[in-house]
Amino acid sequence: MLVIVDMQNRILDPEDKNYVTGAARIIPAIQQRLKKARESGELVLFTRDIPIEHKDESEELRQLQIVRELAPLPEEYVFKKNYFALEPEQLIEIRELTEARKEEKKRIEVVGVELSLCVLANILALQGALPEADFFIDQQLVAGNQLNEATVRLLPAFNIESN
């Protein structure tokens, strides 16, 4: 399974408070990983961070859309979240999606942005829903503004593999 976290237009805009240094650099690599997942029929999930102030308003603002290069296909899943991690109901839905795909649960790769916040928070949440899975982060497929090196050092403590 491939989980792509918060790869939205706002992370590329230096004028936006959610701008992530290095996000543009990882898009081509994530694009290649996504292509591989699609070719092999791997389950692909996306998260979209919708700030709480937009929860009941227009969530379809350009800044909140997933970047064009990684646009989800109709058969892929997009989970909107209003905070760092997926909600319990969404985690139950993801667990149900994987029930019929036992192989998908064995190894889950998580990519995207903010490594020390959203990426890590979503892995920890997913570990609770899918405790039998092994989680992996390719450091070339994540970016963040702060605490990246410290987060990478912490990953083994959470049973998360990385390269």
Side-chain angles (χ1 to χ4, degrees), residues 9-36:
N9 290 319
R10 67 190 188 158
I11 64 168
L12 301 174
D13 181 358
E15 302 298 316
D16 193 292
K17 69 179 183 177
N18 296 104
Y19 172 70
V20 177
T21 306
R25 172 190 55 78
I26 66 172
I27 290 174
I30 293 176
Q31 207 173 12
Q32 288 302 312
R33 176 61 180 90
L34 178 58
K35 180 181 178 192
K36 179 181 168 189

Side-chain angles (χ1 to χ4, degrees), residues 32-149:
Q32 288 302 312
R33 176 61 180 90
L34 178 58
K35 180 181 178 192
K36 179 181 168 189
R38 287 172 172 165
E39 287 172 352
S40 68
E42 199 173 336
L43 183 61
V44 177
L45 310 176
F46 293 82
T47 69
R48 272 184 65 204
D49 184 52
I50 307 297
I52 199 75
E53 65 265 19
H54 295 292
K55 183 179 179 188
D56 297 318
E57 297 173 14
S58 175
E59 296 175 358
E60 302 311 315
L61 298 169
R62 183 191 170 288
Q63 291 293 81
L64 300 179
Q65 298 304 306
I66 294 171
V67 297
R68 177 181 42 82
E69 298 88 342
L70 304 174
L73 298 176
E75 65 272 15
E76 295 168 341
Y77 299 89
V78 179
F79 292 91
K80 296 175 185 177
K81 60 188 185 60
N82 301 115
Y83 205 59
F84 298 124
L86 295 162
E87 297 176 3
E89 297 81 10
Q90 294 169 316
L91 295 167
I92 291 168
E93 184 178 346
I94 291 168
R95 181 158 184 82
E96 290 170 355
L97 286 172
T98 63
E99 285 302 317
R101 300 173 74 140
K102 300 287 184 200
E103 291 301 309
E104 295 283 348
K105 288 183 179 183
K106 290 186 178 176
R107 183 174 168 92
I108 299 172
E109 184 170 356
V110 183
V111 304
V113 295
E114 276 283 0
L115 175 59
S116 66
L117 296 170
C118 296
V119 172
L120 183 58
N122 282 288
I123 288 178
L124 296 176
L126 286 164
Q127 282 179 323
L130 302 166
E132 63 277 10
D134 292 324
F135 287 83
F136 175 74
I137 289 179
D138 180 336
Q139 293 179 45
Q140 302 302 308
L141 303 179
V142 292
N145 287 331
Q146 58 185 345
L147 302 173
N148 293 323
E149 292 176 20

